[in-house]
Amino acid sequence: MTPRRRLWRGVALATFADASSGGAGADAPYGLIAQGAVITEGANIVWVGRESELPAHAAVDEEYDGGGALLTPGLIDAHTHLVYGGDRATEFEQRLQGVSYEDIARAGGGIMSTVRATRSATESQLLEQATARATALLHEGVTTLEIKSGYGLSAEHERRSLTVARRIAETLPLTVRTTSLALHALPPEFAGRADDYVTESIAWLRAQHAEGLVDAVDAFCERIAFSPAQVARVFAVARELGLPVKLHAEQLSDSGGTQMAAEFAALSCDHLEYLSANGVQAMRRSGSVAVLLPGAYYMLRETQLPPIAALREAGVPMAIATDHNPGTSPTLSLQLMLNMACTLFRLTPEEAWRGVTVHAARALGLHDRGRLMPGLRADVALFDAAHPRDLAYRIGGTACRRVIIAGQEVAL
Ligand code: NIG
Ligand code: FE
């Protein structure tokens, strides 16, 4: 049976095609086509262009008129910690009274307080809550989502978090990419024995990988977490298993994690407020994506900006993500992150948009999405907006009206 062909017409397209990739719209900012059309066949895009140039023979099974809506690639949230129990509102209050994030962590709060709440939640509670969070993102046009473990910190609880992350994609049509983040914090059972914890976590990683639970490996490289040498031990095993790596790097201080991650051809280094000039060059050489997380920057009332101009100058691709987590970024709005990336980090709206589409796909090692181009997945979102910059301009409220994943409309 031939897959169904669907035509979307009466839409403004932001294709994010560019000179290097080619494709329709490559000559305009955002890959814009003011009066565009898209044809999908089954799960894939087969035609993108001006409505006036639609092939005359384009026989389609279904036709939709977008009524002037903006059609973009489905958004990609390339960094989240979606599976956890509890919240950290009390800690938020403490921080507003002047206690620092690092002090709270050193006193056993912070990540560890979420670890306690996550361990004591049941698997079905974790699944229900994480699914609700993923649903909120989906309603904003997110069609691909990365989810990290890192609030279990034991063999059983890390495995459970990854299982829950996988199960989200059984009830929602989203693509979920899972990332193992056992090196997020040192659990109290291993106090004073961080190297032993690293050894243990390597055994967990092998088992998780054998069960097909892991798509990538991450770590928190920071003075309150793990050193570059400790992370490198886990990354070496990831390499042996054929798993790509990414890193929470230079968020609170310059630990040199980025240079270490570059040695492992990291898909991405994330946060990067304290990234040095050498770190930028290491990322340029390794081709890693800089995943910028304005929600965490904002929530921690950070004042040190990531070195945006240097990253831009070096041609390091920049992605934007929610970093959704209960401590430093309790946001479920990638659209709001577009705005914050512009206002706080001074990205252009086009850079921010590329950061939640084409560069976010690259940060996850996915080559089949992130642009509107024939051959790519038919993951698209329709917005009540005339131009993509309108979404970077708005603060709050979702403009997403329809979501199509693998060619199928999702009931919102
Ligand atoms: O990405 N920096 C480390 N991990 C998270 C925060 C985790 C937490 O505070 O619960 C982040 O900001
Ligand atoms: Fe994070």
Side-chain angles (χ1 to χ4, degrees), residues 79 81 88 101 111 151 184 220 248 251 271 296 323 325-328:
H79 181 141
H81 307 248
R88 303 252 286 280
Y101 179 72
I111 293 174
Y151 290 120
H184 198 195
F220 186 19
H248 281 72
Q251 180 187 10
H271 286 287
D323 190 19
N325 75 75
T328 65

Side-chain angles (χ1 to χ4, degrees), residues 95-393:
R95 286 211 310 269
L96 290 175
Q97 283 154 12
V99 190
S100 80
Y101 179 72
E102 287 191 62
D103 287 343
I104 291 170
R106 286 198 186 91
I111 293 174
M112 279 318 302
S113 85
T114 299
V115 170
R116 290 187 287 275
T118 304
R119 286 178 178 177
S120 62
T122 65
E123 183 167 333
S124 64
Q125 285 168 335
L126 292 176
L127 180 62
E128 189 185 321
Q129 291 169 10
T131 302
R133 294 172 192 132
T135 303
L137 290 164
L138 173 66
H139 280 240
E140 272 206 342
V142 172
T143 54
T144 298
L145 180 61
E146 186 256 17
I147 302 180
K148 303 173 194 297
S149 66
Y151 290 120
L153 309 189
S154 73
E156 173 200 346
H157 294 103
E158 283 292 296
R159 178 182 176 279
R160 195 172 67 148
S161 296
L162 292 166
T163 306
V164 166
R166 279 270 188 260
R167 286 183 61 196
I168 291 171
E170 289 169 12
T171 47
L172 296 178
L174 291 156
T175 299
V176 170
R177 301 294 286 178
T178 58
T179 301
S180 179
L181 174 59
L183 264 57
H184 198 195
L186 185 66
E189 306 86 90
F190 286 86
R193 296 189 298 127
D195 290 325
D196 291 348
Y197 179 70
V198 174
T199 306
E200 274 288 301
S201 77
I202 288 172
W204 308 343
L205 176 62
R206 290 185 186 283
Q208 292 159 1
H209 172 66
E211 265 197 84
L213 289 173
V214 191
D215 298 319
V217 176
D218 192 355
F220 186 19
C221 189
E222 190 55 69
R223 57 193 173 203
I224 54 165
F226 297 91
S227 69
Q230 288 166 335
V231 176
R233 288 181 54 207
V234 177
F235 280 7
V237 175
R239 179 159 60 191
E240 177 200 319
L241 298 174
L243 291 170
V245 301
K246 42 221 291 112
L247 191 68
H248 281 72
E250 337 304 0
Q251 180 187 10
L252 308 170
S253 62
D254 180 13
S255 312
T258 302
Q259 287 94 319
M260 180 278 299
E263 304 281 309
F264 292 90
L267 281 179
S268 72
C269 292
D270 305 33
H271 286 287
L272 302 175
E273 277 81 349
Y274 290 82
L275 182 65
S276 67
N278 286 340
V280 173
Q281 289 313 312
M283 290 188 71
R284 181 184 62 75
R285 286 193 296 273
S286 62
S288 307
V289 176
V291 179
L292 305 174
L293 305 167
Y297 173 91
Y298 165 80
M299 189 72 174
L300 292 176
R301 301 170 73 237
E302 180 60 70
T303 52
Q304 168 93 15
L305 282 163
I308 305 293
L311 289 165
R312 195 182 275 137
E313 169 110 342
V316 174
M318 294 182 277
I320 305 297
T322 60
D323 190 19
H324 176 85
N325 75 75
T328 65
S329 195
T331 177
L332 285 167
S333 176
L334 193 54
Q335 185 189 303
L336 178 60
M337 296 306 104
L338 286 176
N339 177 275
M340 285 192 177
C342 298
T343 51
L344 300 175
F345 291 170
R346 311 305 289 167
L347 263 64
T348 67
E350 183 177 359
E351 285 174 324
W353 261 100
R354 288 184 184 272
V356 296
T357 53
V358 56
H359 295 156
R362 178 166 161 176
L364 296 179
L366 298 173
H367 306 290
D368 61 350
R369 65 196 72 195
R371 289 188 167 109
L372 300 177
M373 276 176 80
L376 299 191
R377 269 171 69 96
D379 285 0
V380 308
L382 270 104
F383 295 95
D384 238 346
H387 190 283
R389 69 177 159 242
D390 299 356
L391 284 125
Y393 155 79

